[in-house]
Amino acid sequence: MRARIYRTEVALRDAVEGGAQTHASRARLYLELELDGVRGFGEVAPQPVALNGDPGLAEVVTAAGRALGRVREWVDREGDPPWWRVGAVVDGSPAARFGAALVEMAVLDRALRASGRSLDELWPARHPVRTTATVSLLSPDPWRVSDGVARVRAKCAPGPLAPGTLERLEALEMPVLVDYNATALDPEEVLERAREVAARARVVAVEQPFAPGNLVETARLAARLGDAGIEVSLDEGVRTVGDLRAIARYGAARVVCVKPPRVGGLAQALHLVARAGELGLTPYLGGFFESPYARAVHRTLAAHAVVEPSDVADVAVTGPPEVVAVPGSVGLWPAPEALAGAAALEV
């Protein structure tokens, strides 16, 4: 078995200003895995450094190496490694889950190509895929929101909104999710901001107002927002089934964002989506920073398992195309030109 990790960096066409950071570029990690002459690719796009409980890029590379060690053991003992087991045997740390997600996608892609199957055959579409767009209430830069999206995520933080923001909100025809990215400190400010935005647009949820794990304060806020017909959504605080149980028990949210890398990969994401529904929570699939390759994988998963609008639409970047069409699996691979100039590490 041969494995190599590539790191690329892309610039977003439209930078997104959030409460904790401005997203102008993003690194992508690709894993190329070859076994018995058949290759597969995986991808994750971690933070450059750890933030809000998510690991930094260097931690993910190290964790992916450990996950590959486990896969090599399976290959030596069993032959073809089971892709769905990769995310179930990690040590539970944030970096381990991201590393497992990178390895799992590569193992799955390789297995599908070895068997001549497509991802659509593995996960038949059961729902139309509805997508979201991301904008910022903190920046005066113009928004690009296509008519086809079903929901807009609006990045927010304590303090003043950018000039003209409320007028742009009023022009939107789709509902809005106000995303704090764990930057709120005062529930009164969140309530005031939610009412301010709701006066101009249809606000369906306030997402991750407080730090991950702060379920008591979040539950109190959820009760007060509920009186105004606004839900709470949790994102950074959703990593395990235990998190879902606690969210449901406290009544801290009704909507949860399930991001495959954050929860340990695709198999774990499917499990959390199912458990969320059983607990009375409404799940959607998160993303935004992955290339069109991983986002195509996530779209197939969303079509199979998720009804809510999900963050699986392609995000425009500058530079050459990042993917090429190839037969089999999800029908795409990272473009050789994009990988040719990337930093590579044999693992």
Side-chain angles (χ1 to χ4, degrees), residues 4-11 26-30 32 41 43 291-293 317-324 333-344:
R4 177 179 294 174
I5 292 178
Y6 300 88
R7 174 185 173 175
T8 67
E9 185 94 19
V10 295
R26 194 64 169 219
R28 322 235 205 247
L29 292 178
Y30 297 100
E32 180 185 18
F41 277 92
E43 180 196 346
S291 83
Y293 171 60
V317 300
T318 62
E322 294 185 88
V323 294
V324 292
W333 256 357
E337 295 81 6
L339 300 183

Side-chain angles (χ1 to χ4, degrees), residues 51-178:
L51 179 68
N52 288 330
D54 286 338
L57 187 144
E59 299 171 77
V60 175
V61 172
T62 300
R66 289 195 296 267
L68 279 166
R70 182 65 62 88
V71 170
R72 284 191 171 95
E73 292 174 6
W74 295 339
V75 169
D76 292 341
R77 187 172 62 245
E78 305 171 24
D80 282 359
W83 69 269
W84 44 265
R85 197 192 298 171
V86 179
V89 297
V90 299
D91 63 17
S93 69
R97 285 191 286 267
F98 267 76
L102 176 63
V103 173
E104 180 207 58
M105 189 182 294
V107 174
L108 171 59
D109 184 47
R110 185 257 165 208
L112 290 170
R113 295 182 184 285
S115 65
R117 299 178 67 202
S118 72
L119 196 60
D120 286 326
E121 292 176 86
L122 179 65
W123 296 327
R126 299 189 294 197
H127 315 286
V129 177
R130 298 192 294 156
T131 61
T132 65
T134 298
V135 302
S136 175
L137 304 180
L138 308 173
S139 168
D141 294 341
W143 297 349
R144 302 178 200 251
V145 180
S146 68
D147 293 335
V149 303
R151 186 162 66 202
V152 169
R153 171 189 282 103
K155 296 288 186 179
C156 189
L161 300 180
T165 293
L166 294 177
E167 290 73 19
R168 282 184 278 175
L169 280 168
E170 205 161 29
L172 290 177
E173 297 182 357
M174 59 284 292
V176 174
L177 181 150
V178 180

Side-chain angles (χ1 to χ4, degrees), residues 205-224:
V206 171
E207 185 159 274
Q208 199 67 54
F210 307 122
N214 187 356
L215 296 183
V216 173
E217 196 68 46
T218 305
R220 291 174 180 152
L221 177 65
R224 299 176 70 185

